[in-house]
């Protein structure tokens, strides 16, 4: 949510901050999250592990970096080549946020898979996970909009998000390496 919120500030110098700009940003985030949920759910069915989970975080952190590194030149190119700010902002949102948000969307279904140990508790586990995820999104939104933007530049905030994702990925991979615990599949079989 923090990156989505900052998306408005990133696009504003080129496309303004009207309702269609926010419509573009929200559409891209919702669309890419939906693809991420599908991909993450499918990926979680094949040998789920903390190492693969950590790799999703690492890949997400890496795909966020182009927002910091190339957003200016990308948006300038789009701005100069697409006259209508509606389609320009939609194209810029796709270019900047589509891939990282797909990867971020993969985290939730993969998390459910790692946390579910039996079919009877799957709904409860998913409910708690989505509660924590939504609460975290709300806190990230309020902290970013009320505090981070007052003290830090947008690129510094996004770079921090990127580094945090990579650190979480490294922690998951390291934890998996040193605590090789088998993952149960929902049929009761155990896999290494």
């Amino acid at each position: 949510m923090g990156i989505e919120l900052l998306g408005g500030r990133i696009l504003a110098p080129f496309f303004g901050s009207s309702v269609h700009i926010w419509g573009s940003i929200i559409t891209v985030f919702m669309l890419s999250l939906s693809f991420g949920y599908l991909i993450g759910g499918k990926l979680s069915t094949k040998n789920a592990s903390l190492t693969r989970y950590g790799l999703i975080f690492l890949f997400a952190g890496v795909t966020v970096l182009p927002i910091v590194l190339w957003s200016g030149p990308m948006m300038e190119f789009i701005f100069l080549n697409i006259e209508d700010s509606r389609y320009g902002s939609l194209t810029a949102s796709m270019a900047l946020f589509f891939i990282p948000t797909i990867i971020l969307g993969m985290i939730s279904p993969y998390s459910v898979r790692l946390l579910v140990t039996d079919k009877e508790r799957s709904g409860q586990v998913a409910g708690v996970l989505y509660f924590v995820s939504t609460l975290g999104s709300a806190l990230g939104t309020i902290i970013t909009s009320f505090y981070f933007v007052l003290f830090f530049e947008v690129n510094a905030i996004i770079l921090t998000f990127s580094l945090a994702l990579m650190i979480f990925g490294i922690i998951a991979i390291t934890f998996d390496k040193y605590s090789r615990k088998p993952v149960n599949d929902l049929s009761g079989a155990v896999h290494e």
Side-chain angles (χ1 to χ4, degrees):
M1 286 300 297
I3 294 172
E4 182 177 3
L5 185 65
L6 295 172
R9 280 200 135 168
I10 294 169
L11 267 62
F14 293 90
F15 303 103
S17 60
S18 66
V19 71
H20 63 264
I21 305 303
W22 281 105
S24 296
I25 293 168
I26 292 168
T27 298
V28 167
F29 272 83
M30 298 303 287
L31 183 64
S32 52
L33 281 173
S34 66
F35 286 125
Y37 297 152
L38 280 175
I39 296 166
K42 183 68 173 168
L43 186 64
S44 74
T45 63
K46 299 193 181 2
N47 299 320
S49 71
L50 274 176
T51 296
R52 289 186 179 164
Y53 186 60
L55 289 172
I56 294 171
F57 276 88
L58 279 171
F59 194 50
V62 168
T63 60
V64 166
L65 285 176
I67 297 170
V68 173
L69 301 174
W70 302 312
S71 64
M74 264 197 250
M75 285 188 301
E76 185 174 344
F77 177 81
I78 293 166
F79 177 75
L80 293 173
N81 289 287
I82 300 176
E83 289 185 27
D84 190 328
S85 67
R86 294 174 299 172
Y87 299 110
S89 65
L90 183 61
T91 304
S93 294
M94 290 288 285
L96 292 173
F97 308 121
F98 190 70
I99 298 298
T101 309
I102 287 176
I103 308 303
L104 290 167
M106 293 168 60
I107 293 171
S108 291
Y110 209 96
S111 300
V112 169
R113 172 62 189 92
L114 290 177
L115 293 171
V116 169
T117 55
D118 61 78
K119 288 184 267 191
E120 288 74 30
R121 296 194 43 213
S122 61
Q124 180 184 5
V125 168
V128 168
L129 179 70
Y130 288 116
F131 167 78
V132 170
S133 174
T134 304
L135 184 62
S137 292
L139 289 173
T141 300
I142 203 78
I143 290 169
T144 299
S145 63
F146 280 28
Y147 301 105
F148 287 171
V149 295
L150 296 177
F151 301 110
F152 306 104
E153 289 184 345
V154 170
N155 282 345
I157 299 167
I158 291 177
L159 184 60
T160 302
F161 290 158
S162 174
L163 292 174
L165 287 165
M166 288 189 256
I167 289 168
F168 290 143
I170 291 167
I171 289 169
I173 292 167
T174 304
F175 186 77
D176 191 34
K177 187 174 266 194
Y178 292 107
S179 70
R180 280 285 172 182
K181 181 177 149 188
V183 176
N184 289 331
D185 73 17
L186 297 180
S187 68
V190 176
H191 302 282
E192 284 292 328

